[in-house]
Amino acid sequence: MSVNSPFPAFRIHNDDSGYRSGLEQVTLDQLSPGEVVIRARWSSVNYKDALAGTGKGKILRRFPLIGGIDVAGEVVASTDPAFREGDHVLTTGCGLSETRDGGYSHYVRLESKWVIPLPAGLSLRESMVLGTAGFTAALALLRMKENRQSPAHGPLAVTGATGGVGSLAVDIFSRAGFEVHAISGKAEAVDYLTTLGASQVLGRDALATTRPMESARFGGGLDNVGGSMLVSLLAQTAPYGNVASAGLAASGDLAMTVMPFIIRGVSLLGVASAGTARDIRQQVWQHLGDDWKPRQLETICTREAGLADLPDVFATMLGGRSFGRTVVKID
């Protein structure tokens, strides 16, 4: 396509006129530089996208930028011989909608080092139901398994289980052979979480403790909430179990003692999906297209939206009313 041909994109500004975002026409030569141009077909909505699109969080490091930290589509041009026209590819994180233009656009220009060939077991749409959320959940599992986590340790707890990362983690962990206990404050979500593979659905009070250690209840888990819930999960983790930290929906604070670490040998593993090295990215995505592919992707995908719907999606998410995953169809 011509560098001067306009196409729609959801762009975010912060200037003398204030913080604002919305659909506007852009051209290819306005996009961030890169070796690969794709025709975007699908994206997704993550909590980070909602913060960036509304200005409720300091996500973007420069302005203006096109939003969307995830994107999947087909290559239309590439100066890197590793990618050819027509190849189906995806990118998650890697500076999208932070330091460079993101996926909420008909065309996206990407640095080839962050472009991942679509795994054979996934469609473009499925890859975006997964998106950063699924990648984060699978990366947490990879980190735990690399640190010798096994089903023999006991059930894995997943906090914030009805969110995007949480929902996918319940499915992925159970698919990988682990018993999963979902922790959620939404009583109406029991059937949903059981369908995803949770053997038990527990209220938040299951992790209510102020003691530095409790009886070991979980083999480990994935925490998306932070604060006192993460502290309590660590206090109830079995010897040499692993807890992966991937979010701070409640708090970024961690007020605790070292007792779970030095008495039970519990490990706290950080999960930073945005800057993960390419070789690890490829390993995680191969798992997601194969032995860790969630069985209930269509159940987890609770909404399909267009670019024009993004402000409403953001408001729903920031209002705590979102459930599962929202995919964005780029028409």
Side-chain angles (χ1 to χ4, degrees):
M1 65 173 295
S2 167
V3 295
N4 298 313
S5 300
F7 52 86
F10 189 89
R11 210 170 188 211
I12 304 166
H13 298 261
N14 188 14
D15 51 30
D16 292 342
S17 299
Y19 200 105
R20 64 198 188 281
S21 62
L23 280 178
E24 59 185 81
Q25 295 291 313
V26 300
T27 58
L28 197 60
D29 61 350
Q30 291 178 276
L31 300 183
S32 303
E35 298 80 19
V36 181
V37 179
I38 72 166
R39 172 57 168 97
R41 298 298 179 185
W42 295 94
S43 184
S44 70
V45 182
N46 303 278
Y47 196 73
K48 192 174 180 179
D49 292 312
L51 293 175
T54 59
K56 300 295 185 182
K58 294 181 179 180
I59 306 299
L60 275 65
R61 299 185 189 178
R62 66 181 185 85
F63 297 88
L65 279 182
I66 296 168
I69 67 173
D70 298 338
V71 68
E74 66 262 8
V75 174
V76 295
S78 176
T79 59
D80 186 330
F83 298 98
R84 297 179 297 178
E85 185 176 344
D87 286 351
H88 284 191
V89 298
L90 64 93
T91 298
T92 58
C94 303
L96 296 187
S97 189
E98 185 176 347
T99 59
R100 56 181 299 113
D101 291 305
Y104 295 158
S105 174
H106 277 213
Y107 291 89
V108 182
R109 189 155 53 190
L110 302 164
E111 293 179 287
S112 61
K113 64 182 178 180
W114 300 125
V115 179
I116 302 297
L118 184 73
L122 295 174
S123 67
L124 289 172
R125 185 180 186 277
E126 287 175 329
S127 76
M128 289 295 97
V129 177
L130 289 162
T132 285
F135 178 80
T136 300
L139 179 60
L141 181 57
L142 181 71
R143 293 219 63 199
M144 287 191 283
K145 285 176 68 69
E146 286 179 340
N147 207 35
R148 302 175 64 86
Q149 188 77 35
S150 75
H153 281 92
L156 293 179
V158 176
T159 67
T162 60
V165 177
S167 295
L168 286 159
V170 170
D171 199 330
I172 290 167
F173 293 178
S174 65
R175 179 88 161 84
F178 289 85
E179 181 182 352
V180 181
H181 291 184
I183 315 294
S184 175
K186 298 177 180 177
E188 70 276 11
V190 172
D191 289 344
Y192 167 75
L193 292 168
T194 301
T195 298
L196 300 189
S199 63
Q200 291 191 39
V201 180
L202 307 173
R204 291 174 184 158
D205 58 347
L207 292 183
T209 181
T210 56
R211 291 160 55 94
M213 286 207 310
E214 295 280 0
S215 298
R217 183 173 187 175
F218 307 106
L222 171 61
D223 176 64
N224 299 294
V225 178
S228 61
M229 193 162 287
L230 174 55
V231 172
S232 297
L233 177 54
L234 288 162
Q236 297 180 62
T237 296
Y240 292 95
N242 298 281
V243 174
S245 173
L248 40 64
S251 174
D253 295 335
L254 192 63
M256 63 177 294
T257 76
V258 298
M259 290 175 66
F261 310 128
I262 66 174
I263 295 177
R264 287 189 179 148
V266 171
S267 293
L268 176 59
L269 306 176
V271 181
S273 62
T276 305
R278 182 186 175 87
D279 63 325
I280 300 175
R281 285 182 178 277
Q282 290 179 305
Q283 184 180 0
V284 170
W285 279 107
Q286 287 306 311
H287 278 301
L288 286 170
D290 189 14
D291 54 331
W292 294 355
K293 182 178 179 179
R295 298 184 179 95
Q296 300 293 333
L297 277 177
E298 288 309 310
T299 301
I300 293 169
C301 183
T302 55
R303 183 172 183 180
E304 183 175 305
L307 292 176
D309 301 319
L310 287 171
D312 179 63
V313 176
F314 295 159
T316 299
M317 183 170 282
L318 294 179
R321 303 186 305 276
S322 61
F323 202 79
R325 287 281 286 163
T326 296
V327 291
V328 180
K329 188 173 184 179
I330 313 292
D331 283 333

